[in-house]
Short mmCIF file of all heavy atoms in Angstrom, two decimals:
data_model
loop_
_atom_site.label_atom_id
_atom_site.label_comp_id
_atom_site.label_asym_id
_atom_site.label_seq_id
_atom_site.Cartn_x
_atom_site.Cartn_y
_atom_site.Cartn_z
N PRO F 947 -9.02 23.01 4.84
CA PRO F 947 -7.71 23.35 5.31
C PRO F 947 -7.00 22.11 5.93
O PRO F 947 -5.89 21.89 5.68
CB PRO F 947 -7.93 24.48 6.26
CG PRO F 947 -9.23 25.10 5.99
CD PRO F 947 -10.04 23.99 5.45
N GLY F 948 -7.69 21.39 6.80
CA GLY F 948 -7.11 20.22 7.43
C GLY F 948 -6.85 19.18 6.40
O GLY F 948 -5.71 18.60 6.52
N SER F 949 -7.63 18.92 5.42
CA SER F 949 -7.38 17.92 4.51
C SER F 949 -6.26 18.33 3.61
O SER F 949 -5.49 17.46 3.02
CB SER F 949 -8.63 17.58 3.64
OG SER F 949 -9.00 18.75 2.89
N ALA F 950 -6.04 19.62 3.32
CA ALA F 950 -4.91 20.07 2.53
C ALA F 950 -3.64 19.87 3.28
O ALA F 950 -2.62 19.38 2.61
CB ALA F 950 -5.10 21.55 2.16
N VAL F 951 -3.57 20.07 4.55
CA VAL F 951 -2.30 19.83 5.34
C VAL F 951 -2.10 18.28 5.38
O VAL F 951 -0.89 17.83 5.31
CB VAL F 951 -2.46 20.45 6.73
CG1 VAL F 951 -1.24 20.10 7.57
CG2 VAL F 951 -2.60 21.94 6.67
N TRP F 952 -3.12 17.54 5.50
CA TRP F 952 -3.05 16.04 5.46
C TRP F 952 -2.42 15.64 4.19
O TRP F 952 -1.57 14.74 4.18
CB TRP F 952 -4.48 15.56 5.76
CG TRP F 952 -4.64 14.09 5.43
CD1 TRP F 952 -3.85 13.04 5.82
CD2 TRP F 952 -5.70 13.46 4.68
NE1 TRP F 952 -4.39 11.86 5.34
CE2 TRP F 952 -5.50 12.09 4.64
CE3 TRP F 952 -6.90 13.99 4.04
CZ2 TRP F 952 -6.37 11.22 3.99
CZ3 TRP F 952 -7.73 13.09 3.49
CH2 TRP F 952 -7.46 11.71 3.43
N GLY F 953 -2.91 16.11 3.06
CA GLY F 953 -2.31 15.76 1.79
C GLY F 953 -0.85 16.18 1.66
O GLY F 953 -0.02 15.36 1.10
N LEU F 954 -0.50 17.30 2.15
CA LEU F 954 0.80 17.73 2.04
C LEU F 954 1.77 16.83 2.97
O LEU F 954 2.84 16.39 2.45
CB LEU F 954 0.98 19.19 2.67
CG LEU F 954 2.35 19.77 2.83
CD1 LEU F 954 3.05 19.92 1.47
CD2 LEU F 954 2.25 21.10 3.54
N GLY F 955 1.29 16.45 4.07
CA GLY F 955 2.05 15.58 4.97
C GLY F 955 2.25 14.19 4.38
O GLY F 955 3.31 13.60 4.38
N GLY F 956 1.18 13.65 3.78
CA GLY F 956 1.25 12.36 3.17
C GLY F 956 2.23 12.32 1.99
O GLY F 956 3.03 11.38 1.87
N GLY F 957 2.20 13.34 1.22
CA GLY F 957 3.09 13.43 -0.01
C GLY F 957 4.56 13.53 0.43
O GLY F 957 5.45 13.07 -0.26
N LEU F 958 4.77 14.17 1.59
CA LEU F 958 6.16 14.40 2.07
C LEU F 958 6.62 13.20 2.79
O LEU F 958 7.88 12.86 2.68
CB LEU F 958 6.19 15.65 2.86
CG LEU F 958 7.62 16.01 3.49
CD1 LEU F 958 8.59 16.30 2.42
CD2 LEU F 958 7.41 17.31 4.38
N GLY F 959 5.81 12.54 3.59
CA GLY F 959 6.22 11.51 4.50
C GLY F 959 6.23 10.13 4.03
O GLY F 959 7.08 9.27 4.41
N PHE F 960 5.28 9.76 3.16
CA PHE F 960 5.08 8.43 2.78
C PHE F 960 6.12 7.85 1.88
O PHE F 960 6.77 6.77 2.17
CB PHE F 960 3.68 8.21 2.18
CG PHE F 960 3.36 6.79 1.81
CD1 PHE F 960 3.20 5.82 2.80
CD2 PHE F 960 3.31 6.39 0.47
CE1 PHE F 960 2.90 4.53 2.49
CE2 PHE F 960 3.01 5.07 0.12
CZ PHE F 960 2.81 4.11 1.11
N PRO F 961 6.50 8.51 0.66
CA PRO F 961 7.49 7.92 -0.17
C PRO F 961 8.84 7.68 0.46
O PRO F 961 9.46 6.61 0.24
CB PRO F 961 7.56 8.97 -1.34
CG PRO F 961 6.23 9.64 -1.32
CD PRO F 961 5.80 9.71 0.08
N PRO F 962 9.36 8.64 1.30
CA PRO F 962 10.67 8.38 1.81
C PRO F 962 10.73 7.18 2.90
O PRO F 962 11.85 6.81 3.22
CB PRO F 962 11.08 9.70 2.52
CG PRO F 962 9.84 10.42 2.73
CD PRO F 962 8.89 10.08 1.59
N MET F 963 9.53 6.74 3.33
CA MET F 963 9.56 5.59 4.17
C MET F 963 10.20 4.43 3.47
O MET F 963 10.98 3.62 4.01
CB MET F 963 8.16 5.23 4.68
CG MET F 963 7.56 6.20 5.60
SD MET F 963 5.94 5.58 6.22
CE MET F 963 5.29 7.14 6.93
N PHE F 964 9.90 4.28 2.19
CA PHE F 964 10.49 3.18 1.41
C PHE F 964 11.96 3.45 1.00
O PHE F 964 12.65 2.45 0.77
CB PHE F 964 9.61 2.90 0.16
CG PHE F 964 8.22 2.34 0.47
CD1 PHE F 964 7.16 3.15 0.70
CD2 PHE F 964 8.08 0.97 0.63
CE1 PHE F 964 5.95 2.67 1.09
CE2 PHE F 964 6.85 0.45 0.95
CZ PHE F 964 5.81 1.23 1.13
N VAL F 965 12.32 4.66 0.93
CA VAL F 965 13.74 5.01 0.77
C VAL F 965 14.48 4.53 2.02
O VAL F 965 15.59 3.94 1.92
CB VAL F 965 13.97 6.44 0.43
CG1 VAL F 965 15.45 6.76 0.41
CG2 VAL F 965 13.21 6.89 -0.82
N ALA F 966 13.99 4.93 3.19
CA ALA F 966 14.66 4.55 4.42
C ALA F 966 14.73 3.03 4.61
O ALA F 966 15.71 2.54 5.08
CB ALA F 966 13.84 5.18 5.62
N ALA F 967 13.76 2.29 4.23
CA ALA F 967 13.68 0.82 4.42
C ALA F 967 14.81 0.16 3.59
O ALA F 967 15.22 -0.88 3.94
CB ALA F 967 12.27 0.28 3.89
N ALA F 968 15.19 0.78 2.45
CA ALA F 968 16.16 0.13 1.59
C ALA F 968 17.63 0.45 1.95
O ALA F 968 18.56 -0.14 1.49
CB ALA F 968 15.94 0.54 0.11
N GLN F 969 17.80 1.43 2.83
CA GLN F 969 19.15 1.81 3.22
C GLN F 969 19.85 0.75 4.00
O GLN F 969 19.30 0.28 5.01
CB GLN F 969 19.10 3.17 4.01
CG GLN F 969 18.70 4.37 3.15
CD GLN F 969 18.59 5.63 3.95
OE1 GLN F 969 18.44 5.64 5.22
NE2 GLN F 969 18.74 6.76 3.29
N GLY F 970 21.05 0.33 3.57
CA GLY F 970 21.76 -0.65 4.25
C GLY F 970 21.33 -2.13 4.02
O GLY F 970 21.85 -2.99 4.65
N VAL F 971 20.33 -2.30 3.11
CA VAL F 971 19.88 -3.62 2.77
C VAL F 971 20.63 -4.06 1.47
O VAL F 971 20.59 -3.36 0.50
CB VAL F 971 18.39 -3.62 2.55
CG1 VAL F 971 17.90 -5.08 2.14
CG2 VAL F 971 17.66 -3.25 3.84
N PRO F 972 21.20 -5.24 1.46
CA PRO F 972 21.89 -5.79 0.27
C PRO F 972 20.86 -5.87 -0.87
O PRO F 972 19.67 -6.20 -0.71
CB PRO F 972 22.42 -7.16 0.64
CG PRO F 972 22.49 -7.04 2.18
CD PRO F 972 21.37 -6.24 2.61
N PRO F 973 21.27 -5.60 -2.10
CA PRO F 973 20.39 -5.67 -3.27
C PRO F 973 19.61 -7.04 -3.33
O PRO F 973 18.50 -7.04 -3.72
CB PRO F 973 21.35 -5.56 -4.45
CG PRO F 973 22.48 -4.83 -3.96
CD PRO F 973 22.65 -5.26 -2.59
N ALA F 974 20.26 -8.20 -3.00
CA ALA F 974 19.60 -9.45 -3.10
C ALA F 974 18.45 -9.60 -2.08
O ALA F 974 17.68 -10.55 -2.17
CB ALA F 974 20.62 -10.60 -2.86
N GLU F 975 18.37 -8.72 -1.11
CA GLU F 975 17.28 -8.83 -0.07
C GLU F 975 16.38 -7.67 -0.07
O GLU F 975 15.57 -7.56 0.83
CB GLU F 975 18.00 -8.96 1.28
CG GLU F 975 18.81 -10.26 1.47
CD GLU F 975 19.47 -10.41 2.79
OE1 GLU F 975 19.60 -9.34 3.53
OE2 GLU F 975 19.91 -11.51 3.17
N GLN F 976 16.43 -6.80 -1.10
CA GLN F 976 15.58 -5.60 -1.06
C GLN F 976 14.09 -5.96 -1.38
O GLN F 976 13.22 -5.26 -0.95
CB GLN F 976 16.14 -4.63 -2.13
CG GLN F 976 17.43 -3.85 -1.62
CD GLN F 976 18.00 -2.95 -2.58
OE1 GLN F 976 17.68 -3.00 -3.75
NE2 GLN F 976 18.92 -2.09 -2.08
N GLY F 977 13.85 -7.10 -2.08
CA GLY F 977 12.54 -7.47 -2.34
C GLY F 977 11.83 -7.85 -1.03
O GLY F 977 10.67 -7.47 -0.77
N VAL F 978 12.55 -8.70 -0.19
CA VAL F 978 11.88 -9.06 1.06
C VAL F 978 11.80 -7.90 2.03
O VAL F 978 10.91 -7.89 2.87
CB VAL F 978 12.68 -10.31 1.65
CG1 VAL F 978 14.02 -9.81 2.22
CG2 VAL F 978 11.79 -10.93 2.75
N ALA F 979 12.74 -6.98 1.88
CA ALA F 979 12.62 -5.83 2.76
C ALA F 979 11.36 -4.96 2.45
O ALA F 979 10.63 -4.58 3.36
CB ALA F 979 13.89 -4.93 2.65
N SER F 980 11.11 -4.78 1.17
CA SER F 980 9.97 -4.05 0.77
C SER F 980 8.69 -4.88 1.07
O SER F 980 7.66 -4.28 1.43
CB SER F 980 10.00 -3.68 -0.73
OG SER F 980 9.88 -4.85 -1.48
N GLY F 981 8.81 -6.17 1.04
CA GLY F 981 7.61 -7.00 1.45
C GLY F 981 7.31 -6.90 2.89
O GLY F 981 6.20 -6.86 3.30
N LEU F 982 8.44 -6.80 3.78
CA LEU F 982 8.19 -6.69 5.23
C LEU F 982 7.53 -5.32 5.46
O LEU F 982 6.48 -5.25 6.23
CB LEU F 982 9.55 -6.72 5.90
CG LEU F 982 10.12 -8.07 6.19
CD1 LEU F 982 11.59 -7.97 6.65
CD2 LEU F 982 9.32 -8.78 7.29
N VAL F 983 8.04 -4.29 4.87
CA VAL F 983 7.46 -2.95 5.13
C VAL F 983 5.99 -2.94 4.63
O VAL F 983 5.11 -2.37 5.33
CB VAL F 983 8.29 -1.81 4.42
CG1 VAL F 983 7.60 -0.51 4.51
CG2 VAL F 983 9.67 -1.77 5.02
N SER F 984 5.71 -3.47 3.46
CA SER F 984 4.36 -3.47 2.91
C SER F 984 3.45 -4.34 3.76
O SER F 984 2.28 -4.01 3.89
CB SER F 984 4.39 -3.96 1.48
OG SER F 984 5.13 -3.11 0.61
N SER F 985 3.98 -5.49 4.31
CA SER F 985 3.19 -6.28 5.15
C SER F 985 2.74 -5.54 6.41
O SER F 985 1.61 -5.55 6.84
CB SER F 985 3.93 -7.51 5.52
OG SER F 985 4.17 -8.34 4.45
N PHE F 986 3.72 -4.88 7.04
CA PHE F 986 3.38 -4.03 8.30
C PHE F 986 2.46 -2.96 7.89
O PHE F 986 1.61 -2.57 8.73
CB PHE F 986 4.69 -3.53 8.83
CG PHE F 986 5.37 -4.37 9.88
CD1 PHE F 986 5.89 -5.66 9.48
CD2 PHE F 986 5.42 -4.01 11.16
CE1 PHE F 986 6.47 -6.44 10.40
CE2 PHE F 986 6.00 -4.90 12.14
CZ PHE F 986 6.48 -6.11 11.71
N ARG F 987 2.53 -2.37 6.73
CA ARG F 987 1.60 -1.36 6.31
C ARG F 987 0.24 -1.83 6.27
O ARG F 987 -0.77 -1.27 6.74
CB ARG F 987 2.06 -0.76 4.92
CG ARG F 987 1.10 0.18 4.37
CD ARG F 987 1.44 0.58 2.96
NE ARG F 987 0.51 1.40 2.33
CZ ARG F 987 0.35 1.58 1.02
NH1 ARG F 987 1.22 0.99 0.17
NH2 ARG F 987 -0.54 2.41 0.47
N GLN F 988 -0.01 -3.02 5.60
CA GLN F 988 -1.33 -3.54 5.38
C GLN F 988 -1.98 -4.03 6.73
O GLN F 988 -3.10 -3.81 7.03
CB GLN F 988 -1.31 -4.74 4.38
CG GLN F 988 -0.93 -4.27 2.94
CD GLN F 988 -1.92 -3.26 2.41
OE1 GLN F 988 -3.09 -3.28 2.64
NE2 GLN F 988 -1.41 -2.37 1.59
N VAL F 989 -1.10 -4.73 7.53
CA VAL F 989 -1.67 -5.20 8.76
C VAL F 989 -1.93 -4.07 9.77
O VAL F 989 -2.94 -4.08 10.50
CB VAL F 989 -0.69 -6.19 9.49
CG1 VAL F 989 -1.14 -6.64 10.88
CG2 VAL F 989 -0.53 -7.48 8.55
N GLY F 990 -1.05 -3.00 9.67
CA GLY F 990 -1.33 -1.82 10.47
C GLY F 990 -2.59 -1.12 10.11
O GLY F 990 -3.36 -0.69 10.91
N GLY F 991 -2.87 -1.05 8.80
CA GLY F 991 -4.16 -0.55 8.28
C GLY F 991 -5.34 -1.25 8.86
O GLY F 991 -6.34 -0.65 9.22
N ALA F 992 -5.31 -2.64 8.82
CA ALA F 992 -6.35 -3.46 9.29
C ALA F 992 -6.58 -3.28 10.81
O ALA F 992 -7.71 -3.12 11.29
CB ALA F 992 -6.09 -4.93 8.94
N VAL F 993 -5.51 -3.25 11.53
CA VAL F 993 -5.58 -3.04 12.94
C VAL F 993 -6.15 -1.65 13.32
O VAL F 993 -7.07 -1.53 14.11
CB VAL F 993 -4.15 -3.23 13.68
CG1 VAL F 993 -4.21 -2.75 15.12
CG2 VAL F 993 -3.68 -4.67 13.53
N GLY F 994 -5.53 -0.63 12.64
CA GLY F 994 -6.00 0.73 12.91
C GLY F 994 -7.51 0.91 12.57
O GLY F 994 -8.26 1.58 13.40
N LEU F 995 -7.90 0.44 11.49
CA LEU F 995 -9.35 0.55 11.12
C LEU F 995 -10.24 -0.12 12.07
O LEU F 995 -11.26 0.45 12.46
CB LEU F 995 -9.55 -0.01 9.64
CG LEU F 995 -10.92 0.22 9.07
CD1 LEU F 995 -11.27 1.68 8.93
CD2 LEU F 995 -10.97 -0.43 7.70
N ALA F 996 -9.89 -1.40 12.43
CA ALA F 996 -10.72 -2.11 13.39
C ALA F 996 -10.84 -1.40 14.77
O ALA F 996 -11.90 -1.24 15.29
CB ALA F 996 -10.15 -3.54 13.60
#
Side-chain angles (χ1 to χ4, degrees):
S949 65
V951 176
W952 166 46
L954 174 65
L958 180 60
F960 183 71
M963 290 185 195
F964 289 92
V965 177
Q969 291 177 338
V971 177
E975 295 176 345
Q976 287 176 343
V978 73
S980 65
L982 278 168
V983 173
S984 298
S985 295
F986 270 67
R987 176 190 173 194
Q988 295 300 327
V989 176
V993 171
L995 185 60

